[in-house]
Amino acid sequence: MAKVISLINQKGGVGKTTSANAIAVCLKHKNFRVLCVDFDPQAYLSFSMGADNRDKPTIYEVLKHSIKPQFAVQRTPIIDILPSNGLLTNVEREFTGIGSESILKECLEPLLKNYDYVVIDTPPELGLMLSNAVIASDVVLIPALSDGYSLHGVIQVHETVMRIKEALNPKLVVGGMFLLRYYQREALSRTARETAKMLTRQLDIPLLTTTVRHSNVLSKAMTMLQADIIEYAPNNKAVQDYIRLVDELFEKGVL
Ligand SMILES: Nc1ncnc2c1ncn2[C@@H]1O[C@H](COP(=O)(O)OP(=O)(O)OP(=O)(O)O)[C@@H](O)[C@H]1O
Ligand SMILES: [Mg+2]
């Protein structure tokens, strides 16, 4: 049965989608069977993986039960993915009442036997979409930028995670927070690391030692070329960082 991992942070632009793509690709290159789930109406993960979200069914049709999940999975040159598109914005309005927080979990269940890992990308918000992702997950990972505002937002997302864990998903593991665009030589990054250490200690969640450096190549591979980042730029510093990050998650028993 697959282990389900969600990348979460209600702050926008911190690297959730980039990390979902990179972690999924790293797992694939370790010969695991990986499914990506794009659970963000912005659909950047679908785009970065080269999925067709215009003419083919998406996660939205799956949530609506108009199609079985296995028929909405696309096999792109990079990975298997349940894509999304703008229709997913309807979820908050259309799904209300008891059980609306568990729809994603139910929809993914029939697919779990076919994969070792499912990686979910989530939107920058704390609403129903995030609850669905957290309830469907075994592990949540929190990417954060190396700046004060970004770190502060982690307190809110952590509160949501804890509420759901206690009420609905006691086996959930907070795999940890990790810092993106981190520079050892920059005073601001070092200050951010100290703040992150204090914050994670206070919240009692792990701070991963691996940080991900800035790289335009990573961005280009995903947003312009729809390339597998390890095939495209195996020696790129940020790609190397993600490989190390995944190794750290294995060493810590999170994956
Ligand atoms: N390590 C990195 N180096 C350079 N650019 C990066 C890196 N990580 C992410 N980016 C870029 O930063 C931008 C935001 O990243 P991303 O889309 O992954 O954030 P997000 O948290 O998913 O945003 P949103 O909350 O809007 O979904 C993107 O343009 C992405 O290409
Ligand atoms: Mg995103």
Side-chain angles (χ1 to χ4, degrees), residues 75-108:
R75 183 155 297 172
T76 79
I78 307 180
I79 214 137
D80 284 10
I81 181 165
L82 265 176
S84 75
N85 61 25
L87 287 173
L88 200 57
T89 50
N90 294 326
V91 163
E92 299 274 350
R93 189 168 41 82
E94 289 181 6
F95 296 92
T96 52
I98 295 169
S100 57
E101 290 186 315
S102 309
I103 306 168
L104 181 64
K105 183 183 172 67
E106 283 161 27
C107 289
L108 294 183

Side-chain angles (χ1 to χ4, degrees), residues 21-30 229-230 239 242-243 246:
N21 177 312
I23 290 170
V25 168
C26 288
L27 290 168
K28 180 190 84 169
H29 280 269
K30 284 181 173 291
I229 54 159
I230 295 185
V239 173
Y242 275 113
I243 293 171
V246 168

Side-chain angles (χ1 to χ4, degrees), residues 8-20 40 42 44 121-125 143 145 180-183 212-220 222-223 236 238-239 241-242:
I8 60 168
N9 192 330
Q10 89 283 6
K11 186 154 172 24
V14 297
K16 293 180 288 295
T17 305
T18 304
S19 300
D40 183 349
Q42 297 179 96
Y44 292 143
D121 184 30
T122 66
E125 50 137 281
L145 289 182
L180 278 101
R181 308 212 206 160
Y182 179 81
Y183 284 96
V212 179
R213 286 165 287 181
H214 183 93
S215 159
N216 291 329
V217 173
L218 186 74
S219 202
K220 182 180 168 198
M222 291 187 196
T223 61
N236 175 265
V239 173
D241 292 341
Y242 275 113

Side-chain angles (χ1 to χ4, degrees), residues 141 175 208 244-255:
L141 297 173
L208 300 175
R244 209 170 320 115
L245 182 80
V246 168
D247 284 341
E248 182 182 355
L249 291 168
F250 276 107
E251 280 157 24
K252 297 207 158 128
V254 173
L255 294 184

